[in-house]
Short mmCIF file of all heavy atoms in Angstrom, two decimals:
data_model
loop_
_atom_site.label_atom_id
_atom_site.label_comp_id
_atom_site.label_asym_id
_atom_site.label_seq_id
_atom_site.Cartn_x
_atom_site.Cartn_y
_atom_site.Cartn_z
N SER A 10 -80.09 -50.85 -1.83
CA SER A 10 -80.87 -49.62 -1.84
C SER A 10 -81.38 -49.47 -0.42
O SER A 10 -81.97 -50.23 0.23
CB SER A 10 -82.17 -49.99 -2.78
OG SER A 10 -83.04 -48.89 -2.77
N VAL A 11 -81.15 -48.08 0.08
CA VAL A 11 -81.50 -47.77 1.42
C VAL A 11 -82.22 -46.41 1.37
O VAL A 11 -82.08 -45.61 0.51
CB VAL A 11 -80.28 -47.67 2.36
CG1 VAL A 11 -79.43 -48.98 2.33
CG2 VAL A 11 -79.38 -46.60 1.90
N THR A 12 -82.97 -46.18 2.44
CA THR A 12 -83.67 -44.99 2.66
C THR A 12 -83.51 -44.48 4.09
O THR A 12 -83.48 -45.35 5.06
CB THR A 12 -85.16 -45.17 2.34
OG1 THR A 12 -85.37 -45.79 1.05
CG2 THR A 12 -85.97 -43.80 2.42
N GLY A 13 -83.39 -43.26 4.39
CA GLY A 13 -83.24 -42.77 5.67
C GLY A 13 -83.66 -41.27 5.91
O GLY A 13 -83.84 -40.58 4.85
N ILE A 14 -83.69 -40.93 7.07
CA ILE A 14 -83.85 -39.42 7.31
C ILE A 14 -82.67 -39.01 8.26
O ILE A 14 -82.24 -39.73 9.13
CB ILE A 14 -85.18 -39.04 7.99
CG1 ILE A 14 -85.37 -39.85 9.35
CG2 ILE A 14 -86.34 -39.36 7.08
CD1 ILE A 14 -86.59 -39.41 10.05
N CYS A 15 -82.19 -37.78 8.02
CA CYS A 15 -81.06 -37.24 8.77
C CYS A 15 -81.29 -35.82 9.14
O CYS A 15 -81.66 -34.99 8.28
CB CYS A 15 -79.77 -37.31 7.85
SG CYS A 15 -78.25 -36.72 8.61
N GLU A 16 -81.09 -35.54 10.40
CA GLU A 16 -81.30 -34.11 10.80
C GLU A 16 -80.14 -33.26 10.24
O GLU A 16 -78.98 -33.67 10.25
CB GLU A 16 -81.21 -34.06 12.34
CG GLU A 16 -81.62 -32.67 12.88
CD GLU A 16 -81.62 -32.48 14.34
OE1 GLU A 16 -80.53 -32.52 14.81
OE2 GLU A 16 -82.67 -32.30 14.95
N VAL A 17 -80.54 -32.14 9.73
CA VAL A 17 -79.63 -31.17 9.29
C VAL A 17 -79.63 -29.78 10.03
O VAL A 17 -79.06 -28.77 9.52
CB VAL A 17 -79.77 -30.93 7.72
CG1 VAL A 17 -79.45 -32.15 6.94
CG2 VAL A 17 -81.17 -30.53 7.45
N LEU A 18 -80.19 -29.86 11.11
CA LEU A 18 -80.32 -28.56 11.97
C LEU A 18 -78.90 -27.97 12.21
O LEU A 18 -78.67 -26.79 12.21
CB LEU A 18 -81.09 -28.88 13.22
CG LEU A 18 -81.26 -27.61 14.22
CD1 LEU A 18 -82.02 -26.56 13.56
CD2 LEU A 18 -81.89 -28.15 15.49
N HIS A 19 -77.93 -28.87 12.55
CA HIS A 19 -76.58 -28.54 12.87
C HIS A 19 -75.60 -28.80 11.74
O HIS A 19 -74.38 -28.76 12.06
CB HIS A 19 -76.15 -29.24 14.15
CG HIS A 19 -77.12 -29.06 15.29
ND1 HIS A 19 -77.36 -27.90 16.03
CD2 HIS A 19 -77.98 -29.94 15.88
CE1 HIS A 19 -78.19 -28.05 16.88
NE2 HIS A 19 -78.68 -29.31 16.86
N ALA A 20 -76.04 -29.06 10.59
CA ALA A 20 -75.14 -29.47 9.55
C ALA A 20 -74.23 -28.42 9.14
O ALA A 20 -74.52 -27.25 8.96
CB ALA A 20 -76.02 -29.89 8.34
N ASP A 21 -72.92 -28.88 9.00
CA ASP A 21 -71.92 -27.92 8.49
C ASP A 21 -71.67 -28.18 7.00
O ASP A 21 -72.35 -29.05 6.41
CB ASP A 21 -70.56 -28.09 9.28
CG ASP A 21 -70.03 -29.48 9.24
OD1 ASP A 21 -70.41 -30.23 8.42
OD2 ASP A 21 -69.15 -29.76 10.11
N GLU A 22 -70.79 -27.43 6.44
CA GLU A 22 -70.57 -27.63 4.95
C GLU A 22 -70.07 -28.99 4.56
O GLU A 22 -70.50 -29.53 3.52
CB GLU A 22 -69.46 -26.53 4.45
CG GLU A 22 -69.95 -25.05 4.68
CD GLU A 22 -71.19 -24.75 3.84
OE1 GLU A 22 -70.98 -24.93 2.59
OE2 GLU A 22 -72.22 -24.37 4.33
N ASP A 23 -69.26 -29.58 5.43
CA ASP A 23 -68.82 -30.93 5.18
C ASP A 23 -69.83 -31.96 5.12
O ASP A 23 -69.94 -32.85 4.13
CB ASP A 23 -67.68 -31.37 6.20
CG ASP A 23 -66.49 -30.59 6.02
OD1 ASP A 23 -66.17 -29.92 4.95
OD2 ASP A 23 -65.62 -30.62 7.02
N LEU A 24 -70.80 -31.85 6.08
CA LEU A 24 -72.01 -32.79 6.06
C LEU A 24 -72.81 -32.66 4.83
O LEU A 24 -73.19 -33.62 4.20
CB LEU A 24 -72.73 -32.68 7.31
CG LEU A 24 -73.98 -33.56 7.46
CD1 LEU A 24 -73.67 -35.01 7.34
CD2 LEU A 24 -74.81 -33.34 8.67
N LEU A 25 -73.09 -31.42 4.47
CA LEU A 25 -74.00 -31.20 3.33
C LEU A 25 -73.31 -31.74 2.03
O LEU A 25 -74.09 -32.37 1.20
CB LEU A 25 -74.32 -29.70 3.13
CG LEU A 25 -75.00 -28.97 4.34
CD1 LEU A 25 -75.39 -27.56 4.05
CD2 LEU A 25 -76.29 -29.80 4.74
N GLY A 26 -72.04 -31.54 1.86
CA GLY A 26 -71.35 -32.13 0.70
C GLY A 26 -71.35 -33.61 0.74
O GLY A 26 -71.54 -34.29 -0.29
N TYR A 27 -71.16 -34.22 1.95
CA TYR A 27 -71.19 -35.63 2.09
C TYR A 27 -72.47 -36.17 1.68
O TYR A 27 -72.53 -37.22 0.98
CB TYR A 27 -70.80 -35.95 3.55
CG TYR A 27 -70.73 -37.42 3.90
CD1 TYR A 27 -69.55 -38.12 3.73
CD2 TYR A 27 -71.90 -38.15 4.25
CE1 TYR A 27 -69.52 -39.43 4.05
CE2 TYR A 27 -71.82 -39.45 4.62
CZ TYR A 27 -70.73 -40.09 4.46
OH TYR A 27 -70.64 -41.48 4.82
N LEU A 28 -73.58 -35.65 2.23
CA LEU A 28 -74.86 -36.16 1.87
C LEU A 28 -75.18 -36.06 0.39
O LEU A 28 -75.65 -37.07 -0.18
CB LEU A 28 -76.01 -35.38 2.68
CG LEU A 28 -75.91 -35.39 4.21
CD1 LEU A 28 -77.07 -34.50 4.76
CD2 LEU A 28 -76.12 -36.91 4.61
N CYS A 29 -74.87 -35.02 -0.19
CA CYS A 29 -75.18 -34.83 -1.71
C CYS A 29 -74.29 -35.70 -2.54
O CYS A 29 -74.73 -36.10 -3.67
CB CYS A 29 -75.18 -33.40 -2.02
SG CYS A 29 -76.41 -32.38 -1.36
N ASP A 30 -73.06 -36.00 -2.13
CA ASP A 30 -72.21 -36.89 -2.82
C ASP A 30 -72.63 -38.30 -2.91
O ASP A 30 -72.41 -39.07 -3.83
CB ASP A 30 -70.71 -36.83 -2.24
CG ASP A 30 -70.05 -35.47 -2.65
OD1 ASP A 30 -70.52 -34.77 -3.58
OD2 ASP A 30 -68.97 -35.19 -2.05
N ARG A 31 -73.26 -38.72 -1.78
CA ARG A 31 -73.57 -40.20 -1.52
C ARG A 31 -74.97 -40.58 -1.69
O ARG A 31 -75.36 -41.75 -1.75
CB ARG A 31 -73.00 -40.63 -0.20
CG ARG A 31 -71.41 -40.60 -0.17
CD ARG A 31 -70.97 -40.61 1.23
NE ARG A 31 -69.52 -40.74 1.23
CZ ARG A 31 -68.67 -39.68 1.01
NH1 ARG A 31 -69.16 -38.46 0.71
NH2 ARG A 31 -67.37 -39.83 1.05
N PHE A 32 -75.94 -39.66 -1.61
CA PHE A 32 -77.39 -39.91 -1.59
C PHE A 32 -78.09 -38.95 -2.53
O PHE A 32 -77.55 -37.87 -2.85
CB PHE A 32 -77.95 -39.77 -0.25
CG PHE A 32 -77.31 -40.66 0.87
CD1 PHE A 32 -76.30 -40.20 1.66
CD2 PHE A 32 -77.78 -41.96 0.97
CE1 PHE A 32 -75.79 -41.00 2.68
CE2 PHE A 32 -77.19 -42.77 1.96
CZ PHE A 32 -76.20 -42.32 2.76
N ALA A 33 -79.28 -39.43 -2.92
CA ALA A 33 -80.26 -38.52 -3.46
C ALA A 33 -80.91 -37.79 -2.28
O ALA A 33 -81.54 -38.46 -1.44
CB ALA A 33 -81.28 -39.09 -4.39
N VAL A 34 -80.89 -36.46 -2.20
CA VAL A 34 -81.34 -35.72 -1.01
C VAL A 34 -82.66 -35.00 -1.37
O VAL A 34 -82.77 -34.42 -2.38
CB VAL A 34 -80.33 -34.74 -0.51
CG1 VAL A 34 -80.83 -34.04 0.73
CG2 VAL A 34 -79.05 -35.49 -0.21
N ALA A 35 -83.62 -35.04 -0.42
CA ALA A 35 -84.84 -34.34 -0.54
C ALA A 35 -85.18 -33.60 0.68
O ALA A 35 -85.08 -34.18 1.83
CB ALA A 35 -86.06 -35.28 -0.92
N LEU A 36 -85.51 -32.34 0.60
CA LEU A 36 -86.13 -31.56 1.70
C LEU A 36 -87.51 -31.93 1.93
O LEU A 36 -88.18 -32.53 1.00
CB LEU A 36 -85.97 -30.05 1.35
CG LEU A 36 -84.63 -29.49 1.18
CD1 LEU A 36 -84.72 -28.09 0.56
CD2 LEU A 36 -83.92 -29.35 2.64
N GLN A 37 -88.04 -31.59 3.13
CA GLN A 37 -89.39 -31.95 3.49
C GLN A 37 -90.19 -30.66 3.76
O GLN A 37 -89.77 -29.87 4.71
CB GLN A 37 -89.50 -32.88 4.66
CG GLN A 37 -88.88 -34.21 4.46
CD GLN A 37 -89.11 -35.21 5.60
OE1 GLN A 37 -90.10 -35.88 5.62
NE2 GLN A 37 -88.22 -35.12 6.52
N TYR A 38 -91.29 -30.36 3.07
CA TYR A 38 -92.17 -29.22 3.28
C TYR A 38 -93.52 -29.92 3.59
O TYR A 38 -94.21 -30.37 2.73
CB TYR A 38 -92.24 -28.39 2.10
CG TYR A 38 -90.99 -27.60 1.81
CD1 TYR A 38 -89.95 -28.08 0.96
CD2 TYR A 38 -90.84 -26.32 2.39
CE1 TYR A 38 -88.82 -27.29 0.78
CE2 TYR A 38 -89.74 -25.48 2.13
CZ TYR A 38 -88.72 -26.00 1.35
OH TYR A 38 -87.58 -25.31 1.06
N ALA A 39 -93.90 -29.76 4.91
CA ALA A 39 -95.26 -30.22 5.32
C ALA A 39 -95.51 -31.63 4.80
O ALA A 39 -96.54 -32.00 4.31
CB ALA A 39 -96.29 -29.35 4.89
N GLY A 40 -94.48 -32.51 4.87
CA GLY A 40 -94.65 -33.91 4.50
C GLY A 40 -94.46 -34.17 3.01
O GLY A 40 -94.51 -35.40 2.65
N THR A 41 -94.12 -33.20 2.27
CA THR A 41 -93.92 -33.37 0.82
C THR A 41 -92.38 -33.28 0.54
O THR A 41 -91.73 -32.34 0.93
CB THR A 41 -94.62 -32.34 0.01
OG1 THR A 41 -95.99 -32.43 0.26
CG2 THR A 41 -94.39 -32.54 -1.50
N GLU A 42 -91.82 -34.23 -0.23
CA GLU A 42 -90.45 -34.29 -0.51
C GLU A 42 -90.09 -33.45 -1.77
O GLU A 42 -90.81 -33.48 -2.69
CB GLU A 42 -89.84 -35.71 -0.71
CG GLU A 42 -89.92 -36.56 0.43
CD GLU A 42 -89.31 -37.94 0.21
OE1 GLU A 42 -88.56 -38.07 -0.74
OE2 GLU A 42 -89.83 -38.95 0.89
N ARG A 43 -89.09 -32.56 -1.67
CA ARG A 43 -88.56 -31.82 -2.79
C ARG A 43 -87.12 -32.11 -2.98
O ARG A 43 -86.26 -31.69 -2.23
CB ARG A 43 -88.76 -30.34 -2.46
CG ARG A 43 -90.19 -29.93 -2.30
CD ARG A 43 -90.39 -28.39 -2.15
NE ARG A 43 -91.73 -27.99 -1.76
CZ ARG A 43 -92.07 -26.78 -1.60
NH1 ARG A 43 -91.26 -25.76 -1.64
NH2 ARG A 43 -93.40 -26.43 -1.20
N PRO A 44 -86.76 -32.96 -4.05
CA PRO A 44 -85.37 -33.16 -4.35
C PRO A 44 -84.58 -31.88 -4.51
O PRO A 44 -84.99 -31.00 -5.08
CB PRO A 44 -85.40 -34.06 -5.61
CG PRO A 44 -86.80 -34.56 -5.63
CD PRO A 44 -87.69 -33.52 -4.99
N VAL A 45 -83.29 -31.95 -4.03
CA VAL A 45 -82.43 -30.82 -4.10
C VAL A 45 -81.00 -31.30 -4.49
O VAL A 45 -80.64 -32.31 -4.13
CB VAL A 45 -82.43 -29.95 -2.88
CG1 VAL A 45 -83.68 -29.21 -2.63
CG2 VAL A 45 -82.01 -30.79 -1.63
N ASP A 46 -80.33 -30.32 -5.16
CA ASP A 46 -78.89 -30.59 -5.31
C ASP A 46 -78.14 -29.90 -4.24
O ASP A 46 -78.77 -29.18 -3.33
CB ASP A 46 -78.45 -30.16 -6.71
CG ASP A 46 -78.68 -28.73 -7.04
OD1 ASP A 46 -78.81 -27.92 -6.00
OD2 ASP A 46 -78.68 -28.34 -8.22
N GLU A 47 -76.75 -29.91 -4.21
CA GLU A 47 -76.02 -29.35 -3.12
C GLU A 47 -76.26 -27.84 -2.95
O GLU A 47 -76.45 -27.32 -1.88
CB GLU A 47 -74.53 -29.68 -3.24
CG GLU A 47 -73.77 -29.27 -2.03
CD GLU A 47 -72.26 -29.74 -2.11
OE1 GLU A 47 -72.00 -30.73 -2.89
OE2 GLU A 47 -71.43 -29.19 -1.43
N PRO A 48 -76.08 -27.06 -4.03
CA PRO A 48 -76.37 -25.61 -3.92
C PRO A 48 -77.78 -25.23 -3.37
O PRO A 48 -77.90 -24.35 -2.48
CB PRO A 48 -76.16 -25.09 -5.34
CG PRO A 48 -75.21 -26.01 -6.04
CD PRO A 48 -75.65 -27.41 -5.44
N GLN A 49 -78.68 -25.94 -3.81
CA GLN A 49 -80.12 -25.70 -3.35
C GLN A 49 -80.23 -26.08 -1.85
O GLN A 49 -80.84 -25.33 -1.17
CB GLN A 49 -81.07 -26.55 -4.23
CG GLN A 49 -81.26 -26.04 -5.56
CD GLN A 49 -82.05 -27.08 -6.45
OE1 GLN A 49 -81.96 -28.23 -6.22
NE2 GLN A 49 -82.76 -26.51 -7.42
N LEU A 50 -79.62 -27.13 -1.49
CA LEU A 50 -79.71 -27.60 -0.08
C LEU A 50 -79.00 -26.51 0.83
O LEU A 50 -79.48 -26.10 1.84
CB LEU A 50 -79.01 -28.96 0.09
CG LEU A 50 -78.90 -29.45 1.52
CD1 LEU A 50 -80.34 -29.64 2.20
CD2 LEU A 50 -78.15 -30.83 1.57
#
């Protein structure tokens, strides 16, 4: 079980797919996490 943060400022389509395939992904709004799926991301 691991936890991390990853910058997505320069993320291309391949990276976004990679992240969502392998991790549970959450966006951050003012310090609050909001889980998202690949289309939402």
Side-chain angles (χ1 to χ4, degrees):
S10 177
V11 301
T12 306
I14 58 176
C15 178
E16 189 183 65
V17 290
L18 179 62
H19 308 288
D21 58 17
E22 296 294 303
D23 288 344
L24 175 60
L25 298 184
Y27 180 92
L28 295 178
C29 293
D30 284 345
R31 290 161 177 79
F32 300 95
V34 180
L36 296 165
Q37 297 187 88
Y38 288 88
T41 301
E42 291 183 29
R43 298 185 188 178
V45 288
D46 58 20
E47 186 174 341
Q49 291 170 329
L50 178 60

